[in-house]
Amino acid sequence: LIASGKSLEEVGLVQEDIGWPRGVAIQCRVTTENPEKDFAPDTGTLSVYRHSAGPGVRMDGIGYSGQTITPYYDSMLVKYTVRAQTFTKALAKMTRVLQECRIRGVETNIGFLLNVLTHPVFQTGIVTTSFIDQHPELKKVSESKWKFANQQQTDMKKTGYAERMLRYLANLAVNGHPTELGADETKLKPGHSDSLVLKVPEVDTSASTGGLRKILLDKGPEGFAQHVRNHEGLLLMDTTWRDAHQSLLATRMRTKDLLECAPLTNSVMSNAFALEMWGGATFDVSMRFLHECPWERLERLRALVPDIPFQMLLRGANAVGYTSYPDNVVHKFCKQAHSSGIDIFRVFDSLNYLENLKLGVDAAGSAGGFVEGTLCYTGDVTDPSRGKYSLEYYLELSQKLVDMGVHSLAIKDMAGLLNPRAAKLLVSSLRAAHPNTPIHVHTHDTSGSGVASMLAAAEAGADIVDAAMDAMSGLTSQPSLGAIAANMRNTPLETGMDMGKLAPLNTYWENVRSLYLPFESGQLSGNSDVVQHEIPGGQYTNLLFQSKQLGLTEKWPEIKRKYAMANIVLGDIPKVTPSSKVVGDLAQFMVAQDLDVQQVNDQAETLAFPESVVQYLRGEIGIPPGGFPEPFRTRVLNSRNLTPIDGRPGASLKPYDFDKSKEELSSTYGANFIDDKDVLSHALYPDVFVAWKEFELLYGDVTNLPTDFFLNPMVVGDEIEFEFGAKSGKKYAAKMTSISPVQEDGKRTVSFELNGERWFISVTDATIKEGLVTREKAGGEGTVGSPMSGVIVGLKVKIGDIVKEGEPVATLSAMKMETVIPATKAGVVERVLVNVGDKVEGDDLLVTIV
């Protein structure tokens, strides 16, 4: 009627005849825009598209899984309108609608809309058009948290959990692992089966007796030390959770596989002295390669293992890093480590440098930990020709550690040089010198004599020796726990270990180790030549991998010989992280340059030594026993105009500003997602932490993926089941259904069925390079990047132009609108990397200004 020309009055629509409003309606328009980039439109492929529906809900829009969102049309995807009797009910209905709709693969404004709907001011129904301007936090969706009943919808990280997990699996299927992971590609097995079931017997956790940890907590460190000395029999520390896999599998053991056997371990090993399970290389590798939080590993395992003390390896002034840190970093780290579950701190310095040791001892002690002062063992105390590393040297070092106030002494034999005769001599001498101090002995089984050496140490008076579960022992790991326990049966040094109860745990580790085959070094036996090259067990597999990366695989025997030579060049030093890295770097350098000891000394001023070598010679990790090699050190430093460091390297460092760091990290990642432990991780490994967080933005939390699927690419037809969160009970079943041929833009579409629903994940094929143009990304000072995907329709500058900050440099067309792109700083245009008509992606570099 209206179309035919009738007026409203003529068709009976008169205002006076309309009754009171019945109910309330709310409309939300879902757009493919990023609120955190001022609602810049986003483009890409919809991984999944699922509508919301229900009584009183109207949907206007067309979308589907796999749909391509281009920069050439309106960014609105769908419009929802809800009606209800009251405003409160309408709000609740619209909130449910936005929660239930599934639009993944591109940025949307759904998080922003939820922020608006749940804001207490908006819920009063009294707002003005300035509401958003008055509350800019509404646009910070990555930091948002909502109090929804569904835990999967309480923040944006959880909302995108499944999509990110599928993206990881899709990327792995298309591109494989980065070479930095260190996995042997020939040992990765695409395709999966259910033949390997990693299960352990269930245990009765109510039968806990408290173990030795209860004694430590009740009596404190001093009382615990006395208990250990009074203990009849030999105590064992199991290194399976730390040094064993660090030595055999390049530290690649995932937390998931430790958690699986944690309750059984707590039950069958409750009379163990400790589990060595943290510190050393595990801290950075957790973030760098396993994409896990090292603190979460510690705390989750602590919750499942209440009865056995946890021990960590602390690198003195280097904490768990490879350099010196400000004193307050080391102290804060130890305090947090103890609070999160560490009981015993094995404190060492890679050069046995007392000042570095003292900082670590003080930090661990002030945190409330049991402090184990460590003698890093090298040489041979039974061989007078080994010069400075005599029995007297170690006795003097032990006395200084005891004077520092340590609760026990540890002999740390990093390479397996402590033969049975040396163990007997050194331990018996230490026992005579320190009758009230527990003695703890650690070795590696590289030479094959580890069990014999530990038996000799025990008989000479050691209270504790280190060992690993049989399936994770031998080679460069620790000697067999089962072998030591069996040899001590029916003797005064009985260990108290029940071999029958340990059997299921050992079977578990046999199966787990098979999953990590790509990280095995390839060793089939021990190597007695370790007494010549002295490569630490924890470094052996890493050095072998690095050699492969440098193309020096066939020269591995020569690298071992040059390792011994490099040690002489550097002054015959104890070799353990980080000093072992210095020796290893120099050894590979000498192989690559075909140098011997004489040539290295003769060309000290001109050779381009690895940075770690120069830093060592400058004194950045401390002072070696007997001082630096001269005149080699002076010639290297003088040729580079470097001044040597006098005394402890970290003593002159300014205190770390934790408050400032937390503020900056919170600004970058959201205050709700940064805590004090994150700040510590960043303080120790800033670049590694940032890379880990960037990984999480792309792929989310992958810790719940089964290790088989974490390591091995899926193939079409593979099915996987994984959980949302640690104890959510929510499970996903995903099946890979197809991988498309590579497209013109170098991407492939990987299709999945997730709980019966089709998902499409777009992945750039990094192996396809020909014919593709990959643009640089903006990010540094003076760089101007594209704010979104689109087409360059105007260039305002050319090379050499002088521009002011904010002055237009280009115009971008996207989503039916043109955007003027301003200069990010005042200066001179150095480069222009695009032309009119070029298609660009978000953050592509357009112009640089200097």
Side-chain angles (χ1 to χ4, degrees), residues 84-314:
Q85 290 182 332
T86 66
F87 182 59
T88 300
K89 291 181 179 179
L91 279 175
K93 186 173 289 188
M94 181 59 80
T95 300
R96 177 189 64 78
V97 165
L98 294 177
Q99 283 183 265
E100 290 181 356
C101 74
R102 291 290 184 273
I103 303 174
R104 305 286 188 266
V106 295
E107 297 286 348
T108 72
N109 67 337
I110 291 176
F112 164 76
L113 294 173
L114 287 172
N115 281 346
V116 172
L117 294 174
T118 57
H119 196 283
V121 174
F122 186 84
Q123 290 179 339
T124 66
I126 306 173
V127 293
T128 66
T129 53
S130 62
F131 173 66
I132 296 174
D133 292 333
Q134 294 170 353
H135 298 279
E137 72 276 6
L138 296 171
K139 295 188 287 186
K140 295 181 180 180
V141 295
S142 63
E143 301 180 25
S144 300
K145 282 184 174 290
W146 303 293
K147 294 180 179 179
F148 297 151
N150 185 346
Q151 290 301 306
Q152 293 178 257
Q153 300 286 327
T154 54
D155 63 57
M156 291 302 291
K157 284 187 176 181
K158 294 176 181 176
T159 297
Y161 176 80
E163 179 193 6
R164 294 187 181 97
M165 191 73 84
L166 293 181
R167 188 181 298 145
Y168 174 82
L169 295 170
N171 183 68
L172 184 60
V174 172
N175 294 312
H177 288 291
T179 56
E180 295 80 16
L181 179 67
D184 186 340
E185 293 185 3
T186 64
K187 297 176 182 177
L188 290 171
K189 299 177 180 179
H192 303 264
S193 69
D194 298 325
S195 59
L196 183 62
V197 180
L198 300 179
K199 295 295 182 182
V200 294
E202 293 186 4
V203 296
D204 180 9
T205 56
S206 64
S208 169
T209 61
L212 287 184
R213 186 166 186 257
K214 185 178 188 301
I215 297 172
L216 172 57
L217 295 177
D218 290 346
K219 296 185 176 182
E222 291 79 9
F224 184 63
Q226 188 60 47
H227 175 83
V228 170
R229 279 299 295 125
N230 294 336
H231 178 80
E232 294 183 2
L234 177 65
L235 290 168
L236 298 178
M237 184 175 81
D238 182 14
T239 66
T240 304
W241 288 9
R242 208 282 301 175
D243 202 15
H245 72 84
Q246 179 170 326
S247 300
L248 295 175
L249 307 172
T251 330
R252 299 302 193 262
M253 188 66 63
R254 301 175 69 225
T255 300
K256 182 178 180 64
D257 296 321
L258 300 175
L259 291 169
E260 185 67 34
C261 69
L264 179 62
T265 301
N266 184 68
S267 175
V268 303
M269 298 194 69
S270 60
N271 60 347
F273 171 77
L275 299 177
E276 192 200 36
M277 49 76 62
W278 210 62
T282 63
F283 193 90
D284 68 291
V285 169
S286 291
M287 296 184 288
R288 192 193 304 267
F289 297 123
L290 305 181
H291 315 299
E292 300 178 350
C293 175
W295 300 101
E296 184 176 331
R297 169 181 289 199
L298 171 57
E299 291 171 353
R300 292 181 69 184
L301 288 170
R302 178 78 286 168
L304 295 176
V305 186
D307 297 341
I308 310 174
F310 278 178
Q311 176 169 303
M312 74 159 291
L313 188 65
L314 184 75

Side-chain angles (χ1 to χ4, degrees), residues 419-421 423-425 427 450-462 488:
N419 59 56
R421 288 191 305 119
K424 181 178 180 180
L425 175 61
V427 172
V451 172
S453 295
M454 294 304 95
L455 297 178
E459 291 170 351
M488 290 302 182

Side-chain angles (χ1 to χ4, degrees), residues 493-788:
L493 296 175
E494 173 80 53
T495 65
M497 292 291 174
D498 187 324
M499 304 307 295
K501 291 182 179 180
L502 287 175
L505 188 58
N506 194 57
T507 300
Y508 172 80
W509 282 113
E510 286 177 347
N511 291 331
V512 167
R513 185 169 175 178
S514 68
L515 291 175
Y516 292 89
L517 184 63
F519 302 107
E520 295 273 8
S521 67
Q523 284 181 273
L524 299 178
S525 65
N527 288 278
S528 58
D529 64 355
V530 68
V531 297
Q532 277 84 44
H533 58 69
E534 299 184 356
I535 300 175
Q539 184 187 25
Y540 198 96
T541 50
N542 288 329
L543 191 60
L544 181 57
F545 169 68
Q546 292 168 11
S547 301
K548 291 178 180 178
Q549 281 190 311
L550 295 172
L552 301 174
T553 304
E554 75 285 354
K555 295 188 176 182
W556 176 238
E558 185 180 356
I559 289 175
K560 291 193 287 186
R561 290 193 298 271
K562 291 294 175 71
Y563 191 97
M565 294 181 187
N567 178 47
I568 298 303
V569 169
L570 297 170
D572 189 12
I573 60 178
K575 291 163 286 295
V576 60
T577 306
S579 64
S580 56
K581 183 182 186 302
V582 178
V583 181
D585 288 350
L586 181 57
Q588 291 183 100
F589 175 77
M590 291 172 68
V591 171
Q593 301 295 320
D594 193 22
L595 299 168
D596 59 24
V597 174
Q598 188 62 49
Q599 290 170 318
V600 170
N601 280 293
D602 290 345
Q603 302 174 48
E605 289 95 343
T606 58
L607 288 173
F609 290 112
E611 186 63 22
S612 63
V613 174
V614 178
Q615 291 171 344
Y616 159 75
L617 293 171
R618 186 166 176 261
E620 293 188 22
I621 63 171
I623 301 172
F628 290 97
E630 293 291 0
F632 177 70
R633 180 205 195 197
T634 299
R635 293 170 63 193
V636 171
L637 296 183
N638 287 347
S639 66
R640 292 162 173 77
N641 296 316
L642 295 174
T643 303
I645 293 174
D646 185 20
R648 181 165 67 84
S652 60
L653 296 177
K654 295 181 179 179
Y656 189 80
D657 192 336
F658 284 100
D659 293 336
K660 180 181 178 182
S661 177
K662 187 171 187 178
E663 182 180 341
E664 292 173 349
L665 291 172
S666 297
S667 175
T668 301
Y669 303 108
N672 290 327
F673 302 105
I674 292 295
D675 59 22
D676 290 342
K677 288 170 285 190
D678 290 317
V679 179
L680 266 170
S681 297
H682 182 264
L684 294 163
Y685 286 99
D687 294 339
V688 174
F689 180 84
V690 169
W692 171 47
K693 286 300 180 184
E694 290 177 350
F695 176 93
E696 281 197 328
L697 288 175
L698 277 175
Y699 304 115
D701 180 3
V702 296
T703 57
N704 283 323
L705 269 181
T707 296
D708 188 22
F709 287 87
F710 175 80
L711 294 177
N712 297 292
M714 293 181 75
V715 297
V716 173
D718 275 349
E719 297 184 39
I720 179 178
E721 187 176 276
F722 57 90
E723 290 190 26
F724 171 81
K727 297 181 179 179
S728 67
K730 170 69 174 180
K731 290 189 176 182
Y732 293 96
K735 179 180 180 180
M736 182 177 287
T737 56
S738 69
I739 301 177
S740 75
V742 67
Q743 301 154 16
E744 290 184 1
D745 59 359
K747 295 181 179 179
R748 297 180 187 269
T749 298
V750 183
S751 302
F752 293 89
E753 285 182 3
L754 183 68
N755 290 353
E757 185 174 47
R758 186 62 62 92
W759 285 63
F760 299 88
I761 307 294
S762 182
V763 178
T764 298
D765 191 331
T767 65
I768 307 297
K769 301 183 183 296
E770 293 184 9
L772 296 180
V773 177
T774 303
R775 296 188 184 276
E776 296 180 49
K777 294 295 182 180
E781 182 182 1
T783 61
V784 181
S786 174
M788 66 193 85

Side-chain angles (χ1 to χ4, degrees), residues 280-396:
T282 63
F283 193 90
D284 68 291
V285 169
S286 291
M287 296 184 288
R288 192 193 304 267
F289 297 123
L290 305 181
H291 315 299
E292 300 178 350
C293 175
W295 300 101
E296 184 176 331
R297 169 181 289 199
L298 171 57
E299 291 171 353
R300 292 181 69 184
L301 288 170
R302 178 78 286 168
L304 295 176
V305 186
D307 297 341
I308 310 174
F310 278 178
Q311 176 169 303
M312 74 159 291
L313 188 65
L314 184 75
R315 297 167 178 164
N318 304 129
V320 286
Y322 300 89
T323 186
S324 293
Y325 298 100
D327 291 3
N328 68 326
V329 171
V330 181
H331 276 270
K332 191 175 182 69
F333 173 83
C334 289
K335 183 177 180 180
Q336 182 60 60
H338 186 260
S339 175
S340 292
I342 291 297
D343 302 295
I344 302 169
F345 293 80
R346 176 176 283 173
V347 183
F348 78 96
D349 179 72
S350 67
L351 299 174
N352 286 334
Y353 180 48
L354 287 170
E355 293 303 314
N356 282 348
L357 277 166
K358 188 175 188 307
L359 174 62
V361 168
D362 290 346
S366 63
F370 181 96
V371 184
E372 194 167 86
T374 305
L375 299 78
C376 289
Y377 181 82
T378 190
D380 182 355
V381 292
T382 66
D383 183 359
S385 68
R386 285 307 305 262
K388 55 187 175 183
Y389 299 112
S390 62
L391 179 61
E392 289 70 26
Y393 166 80
Y394 291 110
L395 289 174
E396 181 180 347

